[in-house]
Amino acid sequence: MNTEYIRVDNNKSCNEYIKRAGEIIRQGGLVAFPTETVYGLGGDALNRASARKIYEAKGRPSDNPLIVHIASLDDLPRIAESVPESACRLAERFWPGPLTMIFKKKDTVPEETTGGLKTVAVRMPGHETALSFIRAAGGFVAAPSANRSGRPSPTTGERVLEDMNGRIEMILDGGPSQIGLESTILDLSGCSTGNGADEPPMILRPGYVTEEMLREVIGGVRYDRTVFEKADAGLRPKAPGMKYRHYAPFGTLRIVKGDRDAVISYIREAAQEARAAGKRVGILACDTEDKGYEADLVLRIGSLSDEAEIARSLYESFRTCDDQKIDLIYSEEFMTKRLGHAIMNRLLKAAGHEVIEV
Ligand code: TXA
Ligand code: MG
């Protein structure tokens, strides 16, 4: 299949292309598109054959449900069985934006889209191109991140092309993603439509919309334990996708945690030893000062005082390690104030929870 690659930022005939992209979706094809979080791999959410194609293009296990992207709140009742009042308040505050909410699903949504679940994840992305595209596509676009399964989510059109060339009909390149980490996922499927919540809303994946921001609007929320703990037979994540080693570079990733100076000297020594043993070593560090790191690749992914920069560059740094065929990566911990949970959740998953405490 020939994959059409279209730049939609600063493109005057952009509307025409978006219309065509929508047409491809209506006819059962796949189009990758930009959002404010990461790029999505879109197909018609109400068409079971499209969902199957998405799994195939990604090489993703089909028990891993897809997020349905909408462009208008009026469309929510067509796919969600019961929308609790708390969800309406959250939608008013955070949509369009980086929040995904899970509801009981209606029969309109095929189980192929929801990986066999009776619930559906819904998001209205905060990105103009994404919204126009969803409208052109008929209003309901199922989209996982546009990476091959297991690889880091793409935050540029070029990285989508790397993974999806020849596998999908079209890529809309809208420039680098603004946020760089996937949306916060909040499960509201256990909440009743009345005032009383049967089960408190649960964060299945942390993101740009933090626990505190959610609490301000709806009060109590809690975390699925597997967000920060290693999942095993006794501890299964509620979001099926969170059980896989994920968001990961090809090389082994180890997080080093502890006092600043101890971390620096540990990484320096460990890198030296690994290189002496013939490994290609990468280091992910914050801040710009010289910490005396020597490795095959040293990436300074942002400063702790600008956590948005760290979030934006994390996945790209994983992919740069892959470009450079790095076997072993040592990463500092990036426990920043607001986005720290989201950043560390991705880093921990990518590292298979390998943390060295020094
Ligand atoms: O920011 C985002 O959310 C991006 C952009 C493209 O919108 N999308 C994204 O999709 O990250 P994906 O498929 O890579 O991650 C979706 C996660 C998976 O871990 C999946 O298991 C979970 O959401 N999920 C989807 N539907 C669910 C459901 N009904 N119940 C529980 N988890 C669900
Ligand atoms: Mg993904």
Side-chain angles (χ1 to χ4, degrees):
M1 179 189 307
N2 180 37
T3 301
E4 233 184 314
Y5 191 87
I6 310 288
R7 292 212 156 74
V8 284
D9 46 350
N10 306 321
N11 187 332
K12 288 212 176 61
S13 46
C14 161
N15 284 342
E16 202 182 294
Y17 286 118
I18 287 173
K19 222 170 122 194
R20 211 161 83 217
E23 196 52 41
I24 291 172
I25 299 291
R26 288 170 191 264
Q27 287 173 6
L30 305 184
V31 175
F33 63 101
T35 82
E36 80 282 33
T37 58
V38 299
Y39 275 74
L41 171 56
D44 183 352
L46 309 187
N47 176 347
R48 41 186 100 238
S50 298
R52 278 193 218 110
K53 275 193 200 168
I54 291 177
Y55 291 118
E56 203 179 300
K58 266 184 82 86
R60 173 176 187 155
S62 57
D63 69 341
N64 191 355
L66 309 171
I67 295 175
V68 179
H69 294 68
I70 59 174
S72 159
L73 205 49
D74 296 341
D75 287 337
L76 184 58
R78 276 202 48 203
I79 53 174
E81 180 59 57
S82 49
V83 177
E85 194 264 331
S86 52
C88 300
R89 273 185 282 146
L90 289 170
E92 198 173 306
R93 173 77 178 75
F94 297 113
W95 278 1
L99 175 68
T100 295
M101 291 191 270
I102 297 179
F103 307 103
K104 293 197 182 80
K105 82 171 188 69
K106 279 211 171 130
D107 289 342
T108 25
V109 188
E111 291 204 350
E112 278 80 355
T113 298
T114 62
L117 297 178
K118 302 282 182 216
T119 53
V120 61
V122 188
R123 172 164 118 82
M124 191 191 296
H127 192 290
E128 277 314 313
T129 303
L131 293 171
S132 314
F133 162 65
I134 294 164
R135 280 184 212 110
F140 303 93
V141 173
S145 48
N147 50 286
R148 295 271 295 159
S149 188
R151 295 217 67 203
S153 303
T155 54
T156 65
E158 288 85 359
R159 292 303 193 181
V160 178
L161 187 67
E162 192 177 293
D163 280 19
M164 292 297 158
N165 197 9
R167 312 182 71 88
I168 61 178
E169 277 80 0
M170 189 186 264
I171 296 170
L172 298 173
D173 177 350
S177 310
Q178 227 177 22
I179 293 177
L181 296 178
E182 304 85 347
S183 60
T184 305
I185 301 181
L186 186 69
D187 188 354
L188 291 157
S189 63
C191 305
S192 62
T193 39
N195 293 329
D198 307 322
E199 266 179 51
M202 194 193 268
I203 299 173
L204 307 189
R205 181 174 72 183
Y208 186 85
V209 175
T210 62
E211 182 189 4
E212 293 70 33
M213 289 157 82
L214 295 169
R215 272 182 202 282
E216 268 175 33
V217 182
I218 56 165
V221 293
R222 61 196 170 114
Y223 275 108
D224 182 357
R225 274 176 59 205
T226 62
V227 166
F228 304 111
E229 286 174 46
K230 190 170 181 161
D232 57 32
L235 189 63
R236 272 167 54 105
K238 274 200 89 181
M242 299 299 274
K243 72 177 174 245
Y244 302 104
R245 178 172 183 251
H246 219 208
Y247 318 118
F250 291 128
T252 303
L253 171 64
R254 296 210 174 109
I255 302 165
V256 186
K257 182 177 167 179
D259 272 0
R260 198 190 118 92
D261 290 345
V263 167
I264 294 174
S265 66
Y266 181 93
I267 293 181
R268 276 163 59 169
E269 269 172 46
Q272 198 178 13
E273 268 173 42
R275 291 178 87 200
K279 292 216 161 82
R280 282 184 61 75
V281 177
I283 297 175
L284 304 188
C286 54
D287 300 327
T288 49
E289 86 233 49
D290 188 0
K291 295 173 178 163
Y293 287 146
E294 278 174 37
D296 298 282
L297 181 69
V298 180
L299 291 174
R300 296 191 176 82
I301 68 165
S303 74
L304 286 182
S305 58
D306 183 2
E307 52 180 2
E309 189 190 359
I310 297 179
R312 252 194 322 266
S313 32
L314 187 68
Y315 287 143
E316 186 55 29
S317 75
F318 289 172
R319 285 187 178 248
T320 307
C321 289
D322 290 346
D323 295 343
Q324 307 274 324
K325 309 239 172 335
I326 297 297
D327 308 302
L328 180 59
I329 305 162
Y330 288 104
S331 175
E332 296 177 352
E333 190 191 31
F334 308 115
M335 196 55 217
T336 61
K337 235 175 155 176
R338 219 184 61 76
L339 295 180
H341 285 316
I343 294 168
M344 286 312 295
N345 165 262
R346 306 316 192 270
L347 201 61
L348 281 163
K349 289 269 184 276
H353 289 262
E354 281 293 325
V355 181
I356 300 164
E357 300 206 24
V358 292

